[in-house]
């Protein structure tokens, strides 16, 4: 049982690490770079950071908070069940000396069945949380398309570059803040629950925007 208990603990930890939108919405701060003197802003040339827009927008922050809550709920569920299995495994180990060989094998096999089921459930929950994150962020990016086009036209851009593809650029050409403002005016939050991959129901409730 010791190998199972170790694997179980690792699964829960891996799930906790893998189920946060913060990697998408709030990249780790880079070391301070030396000051750069930029040349004049180029007329019609604009840059935009979708990651920064999601991270700074109201809806992006709301999605990040909700995903963290869902991840915490999943880990609480799995940790509780893992603890029960650990307790059962320790109890079986404690009475092993007094059990007949066939009884040991029978009870050990029954516990292993439960352990295998728990591991399958942990893997399913991880996939569900990942699917939830992908679906929520996809909706945010969809909602952001119109604000990008609006600001692009307002700023009279002739071409728009992805900020991640540009090493350095005059900040005056960055339209990200304008897109965040427009996105905040369009949508402020999304309400959603964890995706259930083991019971997909036709017509299930979609992500619901809330502009409050």
């Amino acid at each position: 049982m010791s190998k199972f208990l170790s694997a179980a603990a690792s699964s829960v930890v891996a799930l906790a690490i893998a189920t946060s939108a913060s990697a998408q919405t709030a990249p780790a701060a880079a070391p301070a770079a030396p000051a750069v003197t930029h040349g004049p802003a180029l007329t019609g040339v604009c840059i935009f950071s979708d990651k920064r827009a999601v991270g700074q927008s109201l809806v992006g922050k709301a999605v990040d908070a909700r995903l963290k809550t869902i991840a915490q709920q999943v880990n609480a569920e799995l940790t509780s069940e893992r603890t029960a299995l650990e307790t059962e495994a320790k109890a079986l180990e404690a009475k092993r000396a007094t059990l007949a060989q066939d009884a040991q094998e029978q009870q050990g096999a029954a516990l292993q069945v439960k352990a295998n089921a728990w591991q399958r459930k942990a893997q399913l929950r991880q996939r569900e949380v990942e699917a939830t994150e992908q679906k929520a962020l996809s909706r945010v990016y969809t909602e952001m398309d119109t604000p990008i086009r609006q600001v692009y036209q307002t700023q009279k851009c002739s071409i728009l570059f992805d900020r991640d593809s540009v090493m350095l650029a005059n900040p005056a050409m960055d339209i990200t803040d304008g897109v965040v403002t427009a996105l905040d005016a369009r949508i402020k939050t999304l309400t959603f629950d964890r995706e259930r991959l083991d019971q997909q129901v036709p017509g299930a409730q979609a992500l619901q925007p809330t502009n409050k």
Side-chain angles (χ1 to χ4, degrees):
M1 289 302 108
S2 60
K3 291 183 178 179
F4 153 67
L5 295 176
S6 177
S10 298
S11 296
V12 175
V13 172
L15 181 60
I17 294 174
T19 54
S20 171
S22 59
Q24 295 286 337
T25 59
V36 174
T37 300
H38 298 280
L42 301 177
T43 302
V45 178
C46 301
I47 60 175
F48 170 70
S49 171
D50 58 347
K51 291 181 179 179
R52 185 163 72 84
V54 172
Q56 293 182 354
S57 68
L58 295 175
V59 66
K61 292 176 181 177
V63 166
D64 184 62
R66 177 59 181 154
L67 286 170
K68 287 177 179 176
T69 296
I70 290 174
Q72 290 169 356
Q73 292 171 345
V74 166
N75 276 284
E77 173 192 8
L78 294 175
T79 300
S80 175
E81 295 179 6
R82 185 198 70 194
T83 299
L85 286 171
E86 289 175 339
T87 300
E88 189 173 348
K90 291 176 181 178
L92 177 58
E93 186 66 30
K95 62 181 181 180
R96 185 176 298 276
T98 62
L99 286 178
Q101 184 64 31
D102 57 344
Q104 290 183 30
E105 294 176 354
Q106 183 178 13
Q107 294 183 32
L111 181 56
Q112 189 60 55
V113 169
K114 294 179 182 179
N116 293 340
W118 184 93
Q119 289 181 313
R120 289 193 298 271
K121 183 176 184 178
Q123 293 167 358
L124 174 64
R125 290 291 181 266
Q126 180 168 339
R127 293 196 302 271
E128 288 177 338
V129 176
E130 291 172 349
T132 303
E133 177 179 349
Q134 293 171 3
K135 185 174 180 179
L137 290 177
S138 176
R139 176 60 186 277
V140 174
Y141 280 105
T142 298
E143 292 287 347
M144 193 162 53
D145 185 67
T146 296
I148 291 174
R149 294 175 184 275
Q150 290 174 342
V151 178
Y152 178 93
Q153 294 182 36
T154 300
Q155 296 297 320
K156 296 181 171 57
C157 299
S158 298
I159 188 170
L160 181 61
F161 289 105
D162 181 354
R163 182 65 184 85
D164 289 341
S165 301
V166 179
M167 183 174 294
L168 290 171
N170 190 317
M173 298 187 294
D174 194 326
I175 66 170
T176 305
D177 290 341
V179 173
V180 170
T181 299
L183 181 60
D184 286 348
R186 179 180 177 86
I187 184 172
K188 293 179 170 55
T189 190
L190 287 176
T191 57
F192 58 93
D193 294 318
R194 189 183 80 239
E195 292 291 300
R196 306 299 176 107
L197 301 182
D198 57 343
Q199 51 183 24
Q200 293 287 3
V201 179
Q205 184 179 13
L207 294 171
Q208 298 296 319
T210 304
N211 194 19
K212 297 181 180 179

